[in-house]
Amino acid sequence: MVRRALEEAIHQALKEMGLDLRLTVAKAPKDKPGDYGVPLFALAKELRKPPQAIAGELEARLDLPPFVEEVIPVGGYLNFRIRTEDLLKEALRPKEPFPKREGLVLIEHTSVNPNKELHVGHLRNIALGDSLARILYYAGRRVLVLNYIDDTGRQAAETLFALRHYRLTWDGKEKYDHFAGKAYVRLHQDPEYPNLQWGIEEVLHALERGELREDVNRILLAQMATMKALNAHYDLLVWESDIVRAGLLEKALRILEQSPHVFRPTEGKYAGALVMDASPFIPGLEDPYFVLVRSGGAATYYAKDIAFQFWKMGLLEGLYFQPYENPYYPTLRTSAPEGEPYTPRARETINVIDVRQSHPQALVRAALALAGHLELAEGAFHLAYETVLLEGKQMSGRKGLAVSVDEVLEEAERRALAVIEEKNPDHPAKEEAARMVALGAIRFAMVKTEPRKQIDFRYAEALSFEGDTGPYVQYAHARAHSILRKAGEWGEIDLAQATPYERELALALLDFEEAVLEAAEEKTPHVLAQYLLDLSASWNAYYNAKEDGRPATPVLTAPPGLRELRLGLVRSLQETLKTGLSLLGIPAPEVM
């Protein structure tokens, strides 16, 4: 990997100059000499020298990789030009997943209440979590994906109560989770709702005893049909009722009570409650005390989250697992009292939860530290994301204002099919292509933006074959595949015939592995999504290049040797786009 090799050489040279710093190498601007460059302005204060002088001293100390042809000081930058032959060879090299590393990464995502259909707000959670799991696995991590089933929560209790209270019978004409969701909405719109709490409480207690699991599972299976349609993957289901039965909360509290920062005040507003003083690890709090167990004995959801996190990272045991019978995921396992014992013992965890849960997630990390496991606290990461608007509108499931994921998929497929029929009426498999384009549009729209920025999903923009969309990248892949399909026999590649156009395309191909590693390290798929957009743009610029009004980069009609070089670059590009899309959970159609 070119950039990282340059960064390491610069790091070693800086150490010789007395600075243990790592600088980031980036693409050089097109109007500047060289292919990559590093800014030196930040070193001026440290070394008390102008950046131009630092560039000269750094250049003299650099032990550069053999692929560097020239080092070029440019103002306060040090730029590097890569040898064309090495550049092309690297661009043509098949890309493979990185070697596996030690240590398990556990990713929890989706975790939708099992009481109604998935709505558009869940799309971002699923796309972020599933894409990150794929990226981390490719980057060499051992990954386990977990879906938490809150079968003892109030939402599930209210839905099951509503189904019984209104004596509703499913006729099979709609998905069961939609049917159940209508009962939930009806209950919240019922003027008698305040007077029905006793019945809801009875159902809640039955759920806690594990008596209504099959009723919840019926809703969950319908939800999983949607998860499968979104191309999401899971390894484990963990049911909250199993956590309750395993006594994980009590075990976690016993661990925490050994800390001097967890105690029961005898007076004041927290008298009789078990509280945690988070101030050693969350500075600046107006009130540093957080209740784990109320004075009446009821545990808060903070405490439940902490107990579950302790299990994930191997501080607690007690859950059992067995194969989960379902038509969507043949290798999926579920927690169950009669299963085999299993504890992940993850060194790192990633909880994909919206930004409103940032404070509870900070408390989870604080609890790990209070329990004496600073290294685990550092490994507990909250992938926080902002909300999703649909065509400018905010969703509300309780008020019945949410749009379901199933509806979004159906509408996107309908619109994609119309576009395909217009652009390619002779397409051999229009419906399948429309499904792939719709999925690409939805998932790409959910991950292309930095997670902490709000998304406004709009069908027309997401499904466009131009701009920063999934279909734009898919179309770039299909165009490359079309050329390869027509190529026939190949001869020998002649690197010496490369033109500046091949050089530019090769440079774009070089950064794929860098983008994957950066996305894995930063724990955000938008880095890879942006790279795929940039690569597609570079490919389109190459494909459409003109000189004197004529195509400058014909592939199939190029002279022998150059033809093969161009075909090799097109194949590398096609495979890179396909791999990159797959890491975002997006299919790569061969014909669009």
Side-chain angles (χ1 to χ4, degrees), residues 326-338:
N326 74 97
Y328 310 111
Y329 300 101
T331 61
L332 185 60
R333 292 184 297 154
T334 180
S335 63
E338 61 274 17

Side-chain angles (χ1 to χ4, degrees), residues 185-231:
V185 172
R186 179 176 172 180
L187 178 66
H188 277 272
Q189 294 175 344
D190 192 330
E192 287 298 308
Y193 176 73
N195 301 322
L196 299 174
Q197 300 310 303
W198 61 272
I200 296 169
E201 289 295 324
E202 283 188 357
V203 175
L204 198 55
H205 294 318
L207 286 170
E208 290 169 352
R209 296 191 296 268
E211 295 173 1
L212 302 174
R213 185 147 171 166
E214 283 307 310
D215 299 70
V216 177
N217 191 56
R218 194 177 185 185
I219 299 171
L220 175 61
L221 284 170
Q223 291 179 333
M224 294 189 80
T226 305
M227 299 171 199
K228 184 65 175 178
L230 287 171
N231 199 26

Side-chain angles (χ1 to χ4, degrees), residues 96-312:
E96 299 290 341
F98 290 82
K100 282 286 174 277
R101 294 162 47 189
E102 285 299 313
L104 176 67
V105 181
L106 188 152
I107 300 180
E108 180 191 337
H109 70 81
T110 307
S111 301
V112 177
N113 287 318
N115 70 313
K116 64 198 303 289
E117 72 278 8
L118 278 68
H119 62 71
V120 74
H122 299 126
L123 277 172
R124 196 172 196 183
N125 186 304
I126 294 171
L128 284 171
D130 186 68
S131 298
L132 187 55
R134 294 165 184 264
I135 289 167
L136 286 168
Y137 186 80
Y138 191 92
R141 306 307 305 273
R142 290 176 53 228
V143 179
L144 188 76
V145 179
L146 183 152
N147 189 351
Y148 182 87
I149 312 303
D150 185 4
D151 62 323
T152 67
R154 187 169 185 84
Q155 288 87 349
E158 289 185 336
T159 292
L160 297 187
F161 170 80
L163 290 170
R164 294 180 179 183
H165 179 70
Y166 301 120
R167 294 182 173 85
L168 300 175
T169 303
W170 183 51
D171 60 10
K173 292 181 180 179
E174 61 182 333
K175 278 183 76 222
Y176 189 75
D177 52 345
H178 288 254
F179 166 74
K182 288 178 180 176
Y184 175 78
V185 172
R186 179 176 172 180
L187 178 66
H188 277 272
Q189 294 175 344
D190 192 330
E192 287 298 308
Y193 176 73
N195 301 322
L196 299 174
Q197 300 310 303
W198 61 272
I200 296 169
E201 289 295 324
E202 283 188 357
V203 175
L204 198 55
H205 294 318
L207 286 170
E208 290 169 352
R209 296 191 296 268
E211 295 173 1
L212 302 174
R213 185 147 171 166
E214 283 307 310
D215 299 70
V216 177
N217 191 56
R218 194 177 185 185
I219 299 171
L220 175 61
L221 284 170
Q223 291 179 333
M224 294 189 80
T226 305
M227 299 171 199
K228 184 65 175 178
L230 287 171
N231 199 26
H233 169 79
Y234 307 91
D235 299 303
L236 287 183
L237 300 180
V238 177
W239 295 67
E240 184 166 292
S241 56
D242 291 329
I243 292 176
V244 172
R245 277 194 290 268
L248 294 191
L249 175 60
E250 292 78 8
K251 295 175 184 177
L253 292 175
R254 283 199 291 271
I255 292 174
L256 287 172
E257 284 176 317
Q258 296 175 26
S259 167
H261 299 285
V262 177
F263 53 91
R264 292 184 184 273
T266 56
E267 55 186 26
K269 67 176 181 178
Y270 296 117
L274 183 67
V275 301
M276 177 174 73
D277 177 4
S279 58
F281 302 100
I282 310 178
L285 293 170
E286 185 175 334
D287 184 350
Y289 291 173
F290 295 92
V291 176
L292 299 175
V293 180
R294 297 184 179 91
S295 57
T300 63
Y301 71 91
Y302 295 137
K304 295 176 182 178
D305 286 349
I306 290 167
F308 191 39
Q309 185 72 23
F310 279 14
W311 173 80
K312 289 178 181 179

